[in-house]
Structures are given as C-alpha cells and as structure tokens.
Amino acid sequence: MEELVGKLWHRFITRAADREHAEAAVSLEEVTGTVGILFRALGGDGGLEVATAEQTPYGATRGWLARIASGQRRVALAWRDAQTLRLPERIALFADRDLNRDLYLWLAALAAAEDGAPLPRAWLPRNQELTRRTLARFPGMEPRYRRLVAAHLPLRPAPDALPPEAAAQEQALRAALREPGAVAELPLAPALPEPVPLWLHPSPPLADSVAPGPDTGDADDPEREAAPEREVDRRRSAEVTESPEGRDGLLGIRMENIFSWAEYVKVDRTTEEDDSGDAARTLDDMERLTVARDNRSVASRLRFDLDLPAAGYDDLPLGEGIPLPEWDYRRRTLLRDHCRLQLMEARDAQPCDLPPALARTARKLRTQFEALAPARTWYRGQAEGSEVDLDAYLHFLTEKRHGRVSAELGLYRDFRSGTRDLACLLLADLSLSTDASVNDEARIIDVIRDSMFLFAESLSATGDRFALYGFSSRHRSHVRFQLLKGFDEAYSPRVRGRLAAVKPGYYTRMGAAIRHATTLLSAQAASRQLLLLITDGKPNDLDHYEGRYGIEDTRMAILEARRAGLFPFCVTVDREAGDYLPHLFGPAGFIVIRRPEDLPRELPLLYMRLTA
C-alpha cells in the first residue's frame, strides 16, 4: 500500500511541477532533415552531423514545487563542436507546436552563425553577438525570432518576485533577448539565472576531449553491425581511468560507502557479452561514464584477425604500389604521397559463365539496354565513304563556280553505327562490413556481386566503355584496389570469374580509391565520364581515418573528380546515408536503396537514367 501511495504521489507532484506542453511537442527526429538543410544553407559547416544534445545539470534556483518533484535539475540546450550540431531531443517549451518547430530552426541558424568572425568567449556577449549576426545576415529570420522572444518572456520568472540580485540578472537577460547587444555583462547573483533556450549552451559537455587511448575499434566489425540500433544518439559526460584489477567486474567498495554505488558501476563489456539488453538499460541510467582499457577487448582480437594473409594465400599484386595524397581537414592541407594503393587481382579466379539465377534478369536487361545502342545512320561530309554525298557535291559545284573551293570539303557519305561517347567506372566497396546479412539467404557482398554481374551484362549490350573495380584497405599503407574489368578488356568468362571470386575484408579508405579511379577514368577519351560508387557505409580505417577526417578526405576526392570533368554518383544501402552523403556528393549526387536485395535490378536501370 505504501508503494502504491508513493507512486501516486510521485505521479501527481511530477505532473504539477511539469511546465512542458507535451501535446505540442516536436522531436528532433521530425525536423532533422529540415534543420540540416537550413544549417548548411545558412553557411554552417557542411561536415557537421545533426545529433541529440545531452541533458546536463543546471544549477538555477527553483521553486518549492520543482524541488519536491525532482532532485538535480537537468536541461537540454543546443551546442556544437567540431563534429556535431547538438539539439534537444524534444522541444515542448511552448503550447504552440509551430513555435517549438521554429525554435529548432532558430537554433540551427544561430549555430550556423558561429562560422565566421571570432566571437566573445563569455556566454552572454557571445550569444548576443550570434543573434545580431544571424539577424543581420538573414533578415527573414527576424519575424521568427521576435515571435519566439514574445512567447518565451512570459515563461521566465517575473523580476518583481525575485531577490534584488536575481532580479537584476533577469532584467539584463530580458533586455539582451529584446535588443541583442544591449547588455555588456551579466550582473552577479548567488545563483544562475533560468536557462535561455533561445541561446546556445553556456558550458557544453566536453565529451569529445576525452581520449580513450589507442584506437582499437572497427566500424566494420560484423558484431557491431549486428547490434540492435539505438533509438537516440545521446551524448554523455565521460572520463578515462585505469582499468581496475581483476576480471570479475564485481563491485569493490565497503558497505559504509554504499551511497557511492549509484555513481560508480563497473560494467565490464570487454570480456563478457550480454544479449539481454540489461547493459543498454544500465547505460541509459548512468549520468557519467568511466572508460578503461584492459587490452583484452574484442576489437583487439578482431584487429588481429584482419592482419594480411601470407603472400601465398593473398590476391596477386599487380605492379608496384601507387603513392596517393590524402586531405587533412584539420590542417587544411593535402598530404603528398600519404597513402599507398596496391592494384590486386584474385588469385583463385576461374573463368565461368553467368550464374543461372541471374540469367532471366540478365536477358530482360539486355533487351532493354539494346534499345540504347546507337542506330546505324548516314555520316555526311566524309573524306571517303560508301557513296557520293549529293548535297555536298552540289555545294562543291556552287562554290567552284564562284571561285571559292574548300580543300577540306567532304564529298562522300558513309552508313555506320553511331556512338554514345561515354565511359563509366564502377567502384564497389568490398570492406568487411559487406559481409553483413541482408536476409536469411544473402549478404551485402552477394548483392553487390550480383549487381556487378547484371551491370556488366547490360552495358555489354550497349557497347559503352566501362570498367569494374573493388576496393578495401588496411591502414594508409595498404589500400587494396581490386581489378575486375579494365577499360581495355572485353566482358568475358575471365571477367565473370573475377566477379565470382570477390570477397569482403578489411576497411574502407574511400578517398584513395576514388582518387585512383579518377585517374583511370580521366584517361578515357569520352565526352561524358561517369564514376559510380557502390557502398554500404561511411569511410573508415584502422588509424584516424574515421568520423570527420574520413568524411572530409572523401569529399575532397569527389571535388577533385568533379574538377577533372567527371560525374561522381553514389549508390548506397546505408539507411543513415542521408546524414553524410549530401555533404559528400550533394543533394542530387546519390541514391539510397532501402531494400538492398533490390540493388542488382535497380543498378542497371539507374545507369540508364543517368546516361539517357
């Protein structure tokens, strides 16, 4: 009975103290696309990812009802760092849903204004300057800002009901909101003022600054790919510590210190896995994470498994390695000869026919693509040909009578096939992540292999010049570039044997592979050159080539391809690709295949649309 009464009391007092408007709430998930587009359109750093802001403790004075309802107050305010733009997971500040949505857009515009001239370091002048800068650069945002201020001020504490020092603070904040730049500094008071949700965080978490030690993780780890997806990418405070002695993971504290157990719970995730989901629930309950390494992690063993095989069992290297540059976005410089690319050919590839399971689809696609083959037509004004061009001959006689005969005049015509004058290089991601299952019968690598089979069958019907390559990597010193079909080769059983022999392995250093593909494709004399990339995830590798670094190097490689006159286009099966591919390829430079098993059928048809 006591427990029931306690639950009822907690529910009542929590609802009484709750100032949110749940019925008008807007979630970040609803507006992520719009916010990302607006942030980049207003000049924000295109490499930043939009993610959820962590709720952080906030020490402002609260009323007695709020103190009874909960212990420490936590708020989610917007902020950004070098990797992400962090916005609240949910906004229910106003009773009007449109205002809550406008607040998301305003915060994105405010964060975009940080990319510009240096800003004051103090919280109050910094946010005022950001507001002034945003309103000056984008006058269309002012009506939205004024509506937000007008709706927010009545929700703030009334200065008349506050102690003198707190009232002075509140008056200063209200003046700064109404007229950004009007307040030079915040008056001193015993407690912090109420948070300002229209501004960026006064002291954002510094979780990115925690260095967990040498990198032993791997984004291509199949066990990580198979893990259940988290609903919210939540940022938490963290610290690094030495690993406690012992492997049992038991709680090593004395009973007199039992009140500290909620602050320190040793969750040993490196030596024993738990599929029950308890670890995820424990993680959600922890406010601060302590990370330690004991050199027995799964990632370390996986990295050992990804060591290169002996030369007698590995694919055949073709020639010496090729040095390639890499873009370091932090230093904004191109590192010369930073990577080494090795052209490879499958050792055990045997000539073969098209897999029987693909024969029917291949026949249908060949029929469709044969319609793209240029028809035979008359070529006029030729220096030699199958017969005299009467129009050219009459023109010749007319010019001759007037004494104006051209020495370069062609008097013949010839009947021959036309030409589409285009070249395509298909570059496939063969990293270990493609070993993940699509369904009970196939893996991503099987889907990619079938796609390349049907792609080659289709293009061989048009006569278009095309090449097929795959890539993976193990550190910058060994970027593997798998030869499947060169431009100078015919599509033959030997090429099909190479396609049948492709297998997943290693990591995804995408920038180096794109740069070498650009060199090969640029050497083709064609009026249009299409660089088609198939992948299943972000660029990553063993070293620092992950996150923002890998994204920016890949983006620079794509920009270099465009400057060379190529048309890069990405086909991906990664459902989260919308978070980063617009920054890499532009809004119209990629397509996401929601059902990976549809890729073999969709890829040739996509090529048809791109080259029609």
Side-chain angles (χ1 to χ4, degrees):
M1 188 65 181
E2 291 179 0
E3 182 178 356
L4 177 61
V5 172
K7 289 182 178 178
L8 292 174
W9 167 253
H10 177 72
R11 188 180 307 168
F12 168 76
I13 200 68
T14 301
R15 287 179 179 175
D18 188 9
R19 298 170 57 186
E20 290 191 340
H21 300 275
E23 72 284 354
V26 176
S27 68
L28 179 58
E29 184 179 1
E30 296 177 57
V31 298
T32 298
T34 305
V35 164
I37 293 172
L38 178 68
F39 176 74
R40 295 176 179 93
L42 297 185
D45 188 342
L48 295 190
E49 179 183 359
V50 178
T52 303
E54 174 194 359
Q55 287 192 344
T56 55
Y58 196 87
T61 302
R62 295 178 296 160
W64 66 270
L65 192 60
R67 293 198 296 272
I68 294 174
S70 63
Q72 188 181 37
R73 183 180 186 182
R74 302 177 68 82
V75 296
L77 298 173
W79 55 280
R80 59 172 285 188
D81 58 17
Q83 303 287 340
T84 50
L85 167 61
R86 296 278 169 177
L87 297 172
E89 177 186 353
R90 176 175 174 270
I91 293 181
L93 181 65
F94 304 110
D96 186 344
R97 180 178 170 84
D98 290 339
L99 281 175
N100 290 324
R101 185 177 183 275
D102 283 349
L103 181 52
Y104 270 123
L105 302 181
W106 168 253
L107 291 173
L110 201 67
E114 284 197 332
D115 292 308
L119 292 162
R121 299 191 62 179
W123 170 65
L124 181 69
R126 182 181 185 88
N127 278 283
Q128 289 185 92
E129 176 59 28
L130 283 174
T131 303
R132 290 177 64 252
R133 187 180 295 180
T134 303
L135 297 177
R137 290 169 58 187
F138 312 107
M141 296 294 296
E142 185 159 0
R144 176 177 281 114
Y145 175 71
R146 295 302 173 188
R147 287 196 303 270
L148 290 170
V149 171
H152 173 58
L153 290 180
L155 302 179
R156 298 190 62 80
D160 297 342
L162 297 175
E165 297 88 347
Q169 270 194 346
E170 182 61 30
Q171 292 284 15
L173 287 175
R174 287 170 174 261
L177 284 167
R178 292 192 187 98
E179 294 296 332
V183 181
E185 61 182 14
L186 194 65
L188 296 178
L192 294 175
E194 275 290 300
V196 183
L198 276 63
W199 289 351
L200 300 186
H201 202 304
S203 181
L206 299 178
D208 281 346
S209 65
V210 176
D215 176 29
T216 57
D218 172 26
D220 282 331
D221 186 345
E223 294 189 12
R224 286 180 60 180
E225 293 288 339
E229 295 182 1
R230 303 286 301 150
E231 291 184 2
V232 178
D233 177 18
R234 183 175 299 161
R235 170 97 20 130
R236 294 173 174 82
S237 299
E239 63 180 357
V240 180
T241 187
E242 297 296 327
S243 178
E245 295 296 329
R247 301 182 56 181
D248 54 7
L250 296 178
L251 189 65
I253 59 175
R254 295 176 298 181
M255 291 304 295
E256 58 266 29
N257 295 332
I258 193 66
F259 291 110
S260 68
W261 87 288
E263 301 168 10
Y264 175 73
V265 179
K266 184 176 188 302
V267 184
D268 189 349
R269 304 299 299 152
T270 62
T271 57
E272 182 178 351
E273 296 298 326
D274 176 17
D275 297 328
S276 66
D278 291 339
R281 286 190 290 272
T282 302
L283 178 64
D284 288 337
D285 292 336
M286 298 176 71
E287 296 182 358
R288 186 173 185 83
L289 306 183
T290 300
V291 183
R293 295 190 181 275
D294 60 5
N295 298 323
R296 293 191 298 270
S297 66
V298 174
S300 295
R301 291 199 298 272
L302 177 61
R303 209 165 100 175
F304 175 78
D305 291 340
L306 293 182
D307 282 347
L308 298 175
Y313 297 93
D314 199 4
D315 293 334
L316 296 170
L318 303 177
E320 299 295 330
I322 302 171
L324 290 171
E326 186 167 278
W327 175 254
D328 186 338
Y329 85 97
R330 299 186 188 94
R331 291 187 281 175
R332 305 194 63 79
T333 185
L334 197 64
L335 307 176
R336 301 291 178 184
D337 300 341
H338 190 70
C339 302
R340 195 161 193 85
L341 181 139
Q342 179 62 60
L343 191 62
M344 313 285 290
E345 183 178 2
R347 180 182 296 273
D348 53 355
Q350 299 295 327
C352 67
D353 296 326
L354 184 71
L358 301 177
R360 181 178 178 182
T361 306
R363 285 195 298 270
K364 181 179 179 181
L365 289 171
R366 286 182 66 89
T367 301
Q368 291 177 283
F369 272 72
E370 283 171 354
L372 295 179
R376 291 172 62 82
T377 185
W378 285 106
Y379 282 74
R380 301 182 178 276
Q382 305 296 306
E384 57 183 28
S386 57
E387 60 182 59
V388 174
D389 185 344
L390 292 180
D391 290 339
Y393 183 67
L394 291 175
H395 181 66
F396 166 74
L397 292 178
T398 302
E399 292 294 308
K400 182 179 179 182
R401 180 159 299 182
H402 288 82
R404 299 191 300 268
V405 179
S406 173
E408 299 180 356
L409 192 62
L411 301 179
Y412 296 90
R413 65 176 186 168
D414 196 24
F415 192 63
R416 59 177 184 261
S417 296
T419 176
R420 280 162 54 87
D421 194 26
L422 60 87
C424 175
L425 189 148
L426 177 64
L427 185 60
D429 178 1
L430 304 181
S431 62
L432 188 62
S433 61
T434 61
D435 198 34
S437 296
V438 172
N439 49 45
D440 295 336
E441 301 177 358
R443 303 167 298 164
I444 293 178
I445 188 65
D446 301 323
V447 170
I448 291 177
R449 182 189 298 112
D450 291 348
S451 302
M452 290 191 290
F453 269 125
L454 295 178
F455 185 81
E457 291 285 332
S458 301
L459 266 66
S460 63
T462 66
D464 293 347
R465 283 171 287 168
F466 70 99
L468 305 174
Y469 291 90
F471 75 97
S472 59
S473 65
R474 188 187 181 279
H475 204 265
R476 65 185 178 90
S477 60
H478 190 79
V479 181
R480 301 165 68 89
F481 203 77
Q482 198 82 13
L483 171 64
L484 304 173
K485 178 193 175 299
F487 281 109
D488 57 348
E489 292 182 276
Y491 179 58
S492 63
R494 183 182 180 189
V495 172
R496 286 192 286 270
R498 293 178 189 153
L499 290 174
V502 298
K503 52 184 179 294
Y506 315 108
Y507 304 93
T508 319
R509 207 173 199 97
M510 200 174 286
I514 291 175
R515 285 187 176 90
H516 188 61
T518 297
T519 301
L520 295 175
L521 187 54
S522 299
Q524 301 302 307
S527 61
R528 190 174 189 192
Q529 298 156 318
L530 174 63
L531 176 57
L532 204 53
L533 175 68
I534 303 179
T535 183
D536 72 325
K538 294 181 180 180
N540 71 92
D541 206 336
L542 275 174
D543 49 18
H544 55 268
Y545 198 87
E546 60 182 1
R548 182 77 183 277
Y549 186 97
I551 290 287
E552 292 298 336
D553 175 59
T554 303
R555 181 173 183 266
M556 182 58 66
I558 294 166
L559 292 176
E560 292 168 6
R562 287 204 174 99
R563 294 190 195 109
L566 311 186
F567 175 51
F569 194 89
C570 180
V571 182
T572 182
V573 296
D574 182 9
R575 295 180 180 179
E576 299 179 357
D579 294 338
Y580 59 91
L581 281 188
H583 180 58
L584 295 180
F585 289 88
F590 70 96
I591 186 172
V592 179
I593 306 296
R594 299 296 178 182
R595 289 166 48 89
E597 57 269 28
D598 294 341
L599 180 61
R601 183 179 66 257
E602 294 292 336
L603 182 63
L605 299 179
L606 173 65
Y607 175 83
M608 182 184 293
R609 292 195 295 269
L610 291 174
T611 60

